[in-house]
Amino acid sequence: MNPRILRFRNVEIDEICEGLIRQHEGDAYGTRPIDIVGFARNYFKLKLLYTSIAEDDPNKLSFLADGITPIKVCYQGKVQSVVIPERTILLDKVLKHPHERSRRYFCIAHEVFHYIESILTESPVVSAYHREFDSSREYPIGELSEMLSFRECQADRGAAALLMPAVLVRNTCLQFTDDRNISIYGENVFTSKDKKVLQDMADYLGVSFTALTIRMKQLKLFEKHRMDEYITTEIHLNGGKAGG
């Protein structure tokens, strides 16, 4: 049976996730990085399990179990199909490595939002994978459609909202920039100094550089400039001639 999809506007996703995180964090809300593991386990009573996921697509990194749908895992050197109890998030063992922290947190947040969807729609939990897009791979049309489905895109937005509530991101900006605006040139270009600041902020929040910059664009926290300003001030070129 196809899952019932309740479509939310982005502003609704932000407010719902902010409200849930605010309840979980209490007085500490907005002052520290989100404990997404504690949020999943303590607020929603979800179980987190690590295993070697052995699906045909190696980019399947996590799985929200519905207690019905089987998943392939590698156990004692053998691939077997198992059914995981409902209210369980299965994570590939690769995510346990310290350098995979941002991917681990995002996968957990993504699956938690799928669980939130089931509560909001008053529907049974629907099994769901979180997978990363591999630009070097050719996907069958069915898999590609699933990856780019509205439901998966909505879960990605929800994951970002859970990990990076607006108040927390704004407070982090103040902390790392001393209330200085970060400039963005064109759509994606930053000065070397601001790239370092953004990476430090991302490390602090436990998210990737890309996830943070996307979230800050959503929250309109960058000071926008034209690309020709960057070329003039940072590359020191004007009209194709090097400056003096």
Side-chain angles (χ1 to χ4, degrees), residues 65-96:
D66 60 6
I68 301 172
T69 305
I71 179 174
K72 292 179 183 178
V73 300
C74 185
Y75 181 69
Q76 294 184 343
K78 295 182 179 179
V79 174
Q80 49 190 295
S81 185
V82 298
V83 174
I84 306 298
E86 188 180 347
R87 300 175 69 91
T88 302
I89 295 174
L90 207 62
L91 299 155
D92 194 272
K93 281 184 177 179
V94 69
L95 297 174
K96 293 184 74 173

Side-chain angles (χ1 to χ4, degrees), residues 65-133:
D66 60 6
I68 301 172
T69 305
I71 179 174
K72 292 179 183 178
V73 300
C74 185
Y75 181 69
Q76 294 184 343
K78 295 182 179 179
V79 174
Q80 49 190 295
S81 185
V82 298
V83 174
I84 306 298
E86 188 180 347
R87 300 175 69 91
T88 302
I89 295 174
L90 207 62
L91 299 155
D92 194 272
K93 281 184 177 179
V94 69
L95 297 174
K96 293 184 74 173
H97 296 302
H99 68 274
E100 296 288 358
R101 183 180 65 151
S102 63
R103 288 208 299 172
R104 178 170 70 248
Y105 287 176
F106 196 87
C107 284
I108 294 171
H110 180 99
E111 305 301 357
V112 168
F113 189 81
H114 275 314
Y115 184 75
I116 292 170
E117 286 177 320
S118 71
I119 296 173
L120 296 175
T121 57
E122 299 181 342
S123 303
V125 173
V126 177
S127 64
Y129 286 100
H130 175 59
R131 65 181 88 180
E132 291 189 335
F133 180 76

Side-chain angles (χ1 to χ4, degrees), residues 184-197:
I184 184 169
Y185 297 87
E187 296 298 324
N188 300 288
V189 177
F190 305 95
T191 65
S192 297
K193 177 181 178 180
D194 281 342
K195 284 179 73 172
K196 174 64 166 59
V197 171

Side-chain angles (χ1 to χ4, degrees), residues 23-230:
Q23 280 197 1
H24 177 255
E25 295 285 312
D27 293 339
Y29 174 72
T31 66
R32 66 185 183 189
I34 303 302
D35 175 14
I36 196 65
V37 173
F39 180 67
R41 286 175 171 165
N42 302 326
Y43 194 88
F44 286 113
K45 309 302 180 187
L46 298 173
K47 189 173 184 179
L48 305 182
L49 292 178
Y50 289 89
T51 189
S52 295
I53 296 176
E55 292 289 322
D56 294 336
D57 183 353
N59 294 304
K60 288 182 176 179
L61 296 175
S62 61
F63 177 74
L64 176 64
D66 60 6
I68 301 172
T69 305
I71 179 174
K72 292 179 183 178
V73 300
C74 185
Y75 181 69
Q76 294 184 343
K78 295 182 179 179
V79 174
Q80 49 190 295
S81 185
V82 298
V83 174
I84 306 298
E86 188 180 347
R87 300 175 69 91
T88 302
I89 295 174
L90 207 62
L91 299 155
D92 194 272
K93 281 184 177 179
V94 69
L95 297 174
K96 293 184 74 173
H97 296 302
H99 68 274
E100 296 288 358
R101 183 180 65 151
S102 63
R103 288 208 299 172
R104 178 170 70 248
Y105 287 176
F106 196 87
C107 284
I108 294 171
H110 180 99
E111 305 301 357
V112 168
F113 189 81
H114 275 314
Y115 184 75
I116 292 170
E117 286 177 320
S118 71
I119 296 173
L120 296 175
T121 57
E122 299 181 342
S123 303
V125 173
V126 177
S127 64
Y129 286 100
H130 175 59
R131 65 181 88 180
E132 291 189 335
F133 180 76
D134 183 353
S135 60
S136 66
R137 181 187 167 198
E138 291 187 9
Y139 289 89
I141 189 64
E143 285 189 35
L144 189 61
S145 296
E146 180 184 347
M147 290 178 67
L148 302 177
S149 70
F150 181 85
R151 185 167 181 255
E152 290 306 300
C153 292
Q154 185 165 268
D156 280 346
R157 175 74 187 214
L162 289 171
L163 290 169
M164 295 173 281
V167 171
L168 175 60
V169 177
R170 291 189 179 101
N171 287 344
T172 303
C173 285
L174 289 174
Q175 177 182 342
F176 280 80
T177 67
D178 294 325
D179 202 18
R180 174 183 64 83
N181 290 330
I182 293 180
S183 296
I184 184 169
Y185 297 87
E187 296 298 324
N188 300 288
V189 177
F190 305 95
T191 65
S192 297
K193 177 181 178 180
D194 281 342
K195 284 179 73 172
K196 174 64 166 59
V197 171
L198 288 166
Q199 187 61 65
D200 289 344
M201 289 172 57
D203 292 342
Y204 170 74
L205 293 171
V207 299
S208 69
F209 178 92
T210 300
L212 176 62
T213 55
I214 290 173
R215 184 63 173 152
M216 289 181 66
K217 287 179 186 178
Q218 292 169 351
L219 298 173
K220 303 186 187 308
L221 294 180
F222 290 129
E223 183 177 281
K224 299 200 71 172
H225 295 268
R226 298 189 312 275
M227 195 62 211
D228 59 350
E229 293 181 60
Y230 178 85

